[in-house]
Amino acid sequence: MKKNKLGLFHVYIWCMSILRPYLVSVVMLILCGLTISVCELYIPKYIQYLIDKIIPNRDVYLLTKSAFIVLFFLVFRFLASSGKEILQRNIQEKATRDLQLKMLKKLHRLGLPFIEKNTTGKILSLLNTEVAAMQKLYGLHFPEMVQYALFSVVAIFLMLNLSVKLSLIIIPCFFLYYIIGPYLEKQASLAANDLATSQINLGQKLYESISSLTELRANNACDWDLQRAMRETETNINCYTKRYWYAYWRGTCRRLSYYTGAVALFIYGFFLIGQHKLSVGGFVAFLLIYFNTMSKLTSVITAITEQKILMFQAEKIYSFMNEKEEVKEPKNPNPFSKIKGQITFENVQFSYGNEQRVLKGLNFTISPGEKVGFVGHSGSGKSTILKLFGRFYDPQQGKIYLDGIPIEKLSFAHLRSYIGFVFQDIYLFGTTIRENIRFSKPEATDSEIIEAAKAAYLHDFIMELPDKYDTYIGERGVKLSGGQRQRLALARIFLSAPTVVILDEPTSSLDNLSEGNIQQSLKSFFRNHTVITVAHRLSTIRHYDKIIVINKGNITEIGTYDELVQKKGAFYRLQKKEGVKRIIYE
């Protein structure tokens, strides 16, 4: 338990370190809080002076003068409050922005290994839900804790100055709250955390219901889905009830401690006034300060408890930020101005985590400008080869070279600036067709974008649309068919024209005629470029220079299409199974 507490304290210090660039603003925020406290505490002292001095003497001059002083303090308090609000929001938004940007940069560095090990929901929760919790820390709980603690220190000093004996009554009243209050604070905070989690789950369920509406209706499963939604709704209602139940008892405990202390103050204050040890004005001022101080002290406990609960969420961010990067950027990358496109795999072995080896000592060389296809059954390791070459993963053994240089000695930016990928799972952005094509080359002109679209046989389709290239394609390109999405991804490659082109099932969603047209464009555009293609449709690689057959992580055959067919080995069996004898594209 002690180790866990120390761990959470370490996490808290790390969270506070995010505020380091805004240290001046934090100091100004604290000064504004101190100014507000002084101004608020002046009012009870003024009331004491009013009761004890001004009213008995009927001094109109002092009344007028003191009223102007009070007005000055109120204006000053208003200015300090305005400054505090601006500073608080500024610190909150900038700190959470910095944290989110750091997390995004870390996510980019962690890359594919982290993405494939964790669900999208978990990652989104880190970037949204957990960051939102940190927003509460920076914008609410930490500033409140500091301001109310400063107020309490100044207030206790004033109360001691008014009456030491009355001040001692606060101690048992405060500890009365402290005995039960922190437990209720913790339970209320945990209930609020459960409620937040329940709301996320309910939102995900509703999103799932909307997304799967076609499947639900097609399978007559609407009642089944409704029952699942009702279970999440009932959980959410229970969390709401629990949250406000504990919040009610937390408030009740506070009020009980306040009023118990107030009763004791009235009884003891009556005797002190009767014995002329305390003036009426002093007693009234003390009562006003007492109620305000007790409120602030219990709020300090609330803020501390809330921060302790938030540290369990912050710990997830801290762990994420300290996640070990499996593929690291070289400290001193090897610079080179231009590559030819020669690729060499030398005894490359790889497995995902502790799983069985996916690649078992691969050795092959691809010459500059060569067109090479990888074929094999699903799960044989074809796509893994592409991931390794792009340095999304590093092999456990062996080396991969680009133009004779180990790729781990090249910077990510340098390596990937010469490589163009078309993945099997294409990602399109929820913007226009023009911007989606321009993604691969941000500085591209409109004429270059049009040429790329023509090469991908997408231009005619685009011109039939009402907004043409400015047509919005929806989330992940939902308004496009599978073939249109694939052609748009190919248009990106035609636009960037990289030295090495890597295609993972590039024409799987195209009909035979469209595939033939695309093959002609690929052949024309990338005549002198190195092209690597993973294909299940063997017609895609009919005219390639070399075909490499992969089976269970090993190379079983290498040769041209015709050579491998004549061998009547693994490739021949794949070709026969596909039912393709001879398809020639000119």
Side-chain angles (χ1 to χ4, degrees):
M1 181 65 71
K2 185 177 179 181
K3 185 179 178 181
N4 185 47
K5 286 182 178 179
L6 288 172
L8 290 179
F9 180 73
H10 185 73
V11 172
Y12 184 77
I13 296 299
W14 176 80
C15 291
M16 291 298 104
S17 70
I18 305 294
L19 297 175
R20 191 177 291 116
Y22 312 106
L23 185 60
V24 174
S25 296
V26 171
V27 171
M28 289 176 66
L29 178 64
I30 292 171
L31 289 175
C32 285
L34 185 60
T35 302
I36 292 168
S37 300
V38 170
C39 292
E40 286 181 350
L41 290 169
Y42 176 77
I43 304 301
K45 291 297 291 180
Y46 167 71
I47 292 172
Q48 177 190 3
Y49 188 71
L50 180 70
I51 294 172
D52 291 343
K53 300 292 181 181
I54 297 175
I55 293 177
N57 297 326
R58 301 178 183 276
D59 194 328
V60 178
Y61 172 75
L62 276 178
L63 177 65
T64 307
K65 182 180 177 181
S66 60
F68 276 107
I69 294 173
V70 169
L71 183 62
F72 169 77
F73 271 93
L74 290 175
V75 171
F76 206 62
R77 185 197 181 284
F78 170 77
L79 293 173
S81 296
S82 300
K84 171 182 168 289
E85 187 69 20
I86 292 169
L87 287 167
Q88 191 169 314
R89 298 302 168 198
N90 192 43
I91 293 169
Q92 168 188 307
E93 296 303 324
K94 286 185 176 179
T96 49
R97 177 205 63 190
D98 291 350
L99 179 60
Q100 210 160 33
L101 285 174
K102 285 182 179 181
M103 291 176 71
L104 279 172
K105 289 178 181 178
K106 180 67 175 181
L107 184 61
H108 291 159
R109 292 196 301 272
L110 290 171
L112 204 58
F114 183 82
I115 297 291
E116 292 188 342
K117 287 178 186 176
N118 296 274
T119 63
T120 304
K122 180 182 176 181
I123 297 169
L124 285 175
S125 176
L126 275 172
L127 292 170
N128 292 321
T129 308
E130 316 306 351
V131 170
M134 293 301 96
Q135 198 169 29
K136 289 181 182 178
L137 173 67
Y138 298 132
L140 181 63
H141 301 310
F142 175 70
E144 276 192 356
M145 180 185 71
V146 173
Q147 182 186 341
Y148 294 162
L150 288 172
F151 179 95
S152 300
V153 169
V154 177
I156 290 170
F157 174 77
L158 287 177
M159 286 190 290
L160 287 170
N161 187 50
L162 285 168
S163 173
V164 174
K165 293 179 180 180
L166 278 180
S167 300
L168 292 174
I169 293 176
I170 292 177
I171 298 173
C173 295
F174 179 72
F175 277 103
L176 176 66
Y177 173 79
Y178 193 77
I179 292 169
I180 308 172
Y183 170 77
L184 294 173
E185 297 279 5
K186 183 177 181 180
Q187 293 302 316
S189 298
L190 289 172
N193 192 42
D194 290 341
L195 176 60
T197 303
S198 174
Q199 287 175 321
I200 291 169
N201 293 337
L202 180 59
Q204 289 177 340
K205 177 67 205 72
L206 295 175
Y207 174 79
E208 183 185 79
S209 297
I210 295 168
S211 301
S212 62
L213 188 58
T214 303
E215 290 288 330
L216 291 172
R217 298 193 68 180
N219 291 279
N220 195 29
C222 291
D223 289 340
W224 171 82
D225 182 67
L226 189 61
Q227 289 173 4
R228 295 178 67 216
M230 284 301 296
R231 282 198 294 270
E232 288 293 345
T233 304
E234 286 172 8
T235 302
N236 189 251
I237 291 170
N238 291 336
C239 288
Y240 260 111
T241 304
K242 187 178 177 182
R243 165 76 174 90
Y244 289 108
W245 173 254
Y246 280 113
Y248 167 76
W249 281 109
R250 178 177 65 183
T252 300
C253 183
R254 280 184 181 181
R255 287 186 290 273
L256 181 64
S257 63
Y258 297 169
Y259 299 149
T260 302
V263 170
L265 285 176
F266 272 108
I267 294 171
Y268 193 53
F270 174 78
F271 287 105
L272 290 177
I273 293 170
Q275 294 174 3
H276 302 288
K277 293 182 178 179
L278 182 68
S279 67
V280 175
F283 179 69
V284 171
F286 192 95
L287 274 178
L288 291 173
I289 296 172
Y290 162 77
F291 279 110
N292 214 344
T293 304
M294 285 298 291
S295 174
K296 296 293 193 295
L297 277 174
T298 52
S299 294
V300 168
I301 293 176
T302 301
I304 292 171
T305 306
E306 291 282 357
Q307 288 178 90
K308 284 181 180 178
I309 301 300
L310 285 178
M311 285 307 101
F312 289 103
Q313 290 179 276
E315 192 175 23
K316 297 177 185 177
I317 298 177
Y318 179 78
S319 298
F320 169 76
M321 293 300 293
N322 287 279
E323 187 85 22
K324 185 179 178 181
E325 297 162 21
E326 292 186 25
V327 183
K328 294 183 179 179
E329 185 96 19
K331 293 182 179 179
N332 299 302
N334 192 331
F336 60 90
S337 57
K338 191 176 182 180
I339 68 168
K340 297 176 182 177
Q342 184 184 58
I343 300 162
T344 303
F345 274 54
E346 188 179 277
N347 192 32
V348 171
Q349 299 187 41
F350 178 78
S351 62
Y352 292 99
N354 297 321
E355 298 177 13
Q356 187 178 358
R357 288 206 179 275
V358 179
L359 301 179
K360 304 170 183 178
L362 292 192
N363 291 281
F364 62 84
T365 297
I366 300 172
S367 301
E370 199 170 21
K371 312 297 182 285
V372 178
F374 286 91
V375 298
H377 295 292
S378 295
S380 60
K382 304 183 300 297
S383 295
T384 300
I385 293 171
L386 306 188
K387 291 176 183 178
L388 289 176
F389 180 61
R391 275 209 83 198
F392 299 111
Y393 289 91
D394 279 337
Q396 281 85 28
Q397 292 183 39
K399 291 283 186 180
I400 302 171
Y401 299 90
L402 179 60
D403 284 4
I405 301 172
I407 60 171
E408 69 269 16
K409 293 187 178 180
L410 303 174
S411 69
F412 292 140
H414 211 155
L415 173 66
R416 291 166 189 167
S417 65
Y418 290 102
I419 305 174
F421 286 91
V422 174
F423 294 107
Q424 195 170 356
D425 184 18
I426 301 160
Y427 191 92
L428 300 179
F429 299 94
T431 181
T432 63
I433 293 174
R434 187 192 309 278
E435 293 306 311
N436 266 285
I437 297 174
R438 184 177 271 134
F439 168 70
S440 65
K441 187 181 177 182
E443 73 278 8
T445 63
D446 286 347
S447 60
E448 288 176 319
I449 290 170
I450 291 169
E451 287 303 313
K454 286 180 178 178
Y457 287 85
L458 194 63
H459 178 72
D460 291 343
F461 159 73
I462 294 171
M463 297 309 292
E464 291 174 1
L465 298 171
D467 295 322
K468 298 179 174 54
Y469 280 85
D470 294 317
T471 299
Y472 281 83
I473 60 174
E475 185 180 1
R476 294 186 69 112
V478 70
K479 295 182 180 180
L480 301 180
S481 68
Q484 289 161 352
R485 287 162 50 82
Q486 208 154 38
R487 279 184 280 173
L488 199 154
L490 287 165
R492 289 174 172 173
I493 285 290
F494 290 131
L495 180 63
S496 60
T499 306
V500 179
V501 179
I502 296 181
L503 309 171
D504 193 355
E505 298 289 341
T507 58
S508 59
S509 298
L510 301 180
D511 56 58
N512 289 335
L513 179 60
S514 297
E515 182 189 0
N517 292 332
I518 292 296
Q519 289 298 331
Q520 288 292 350
S521 292
L522 287 169
K523 184 177 179 181
S524 173
F525 260 76
F526 303 120
R527 189 177 302 277
N528 298 315
H529 297 238
T530 303
V531 178
I532 302 172
T533 301
V534 166
H536 280 113
R537 190 186 288 186
L538 301 183
S539 57
T540 306
I541 54 174
R542 176 66 181 82
H543 293 292
Y544 273 33
D545 301 310
K546 187 191 300 180
I547 296 172
I548 299 176
V549 183
I550 307 292
N551 184 35
K552 295 181 180 180
N554 293 302
I555 295 175
T556 58
E557 292 180 336
I558 299 179
T560 65
Y561 187 97
D562 292 333
E563 287 172 351
L564 295 178
V565 169
Q566 289 173 9
K567 280 186 179 181
K568 293 191 176 181
F571 181 79
Y572 175 76
R573 289 190 293 272
L574 287 171
Q575 186 254 14
K576 189 176 180 180
K577 187 177 180 181
E578 188 186 47
V580 176
K581 297 297 183 182
R582 187 176 179 84
I583 301 175
I584 302 175
Y585 296 109
E586 297 179 357

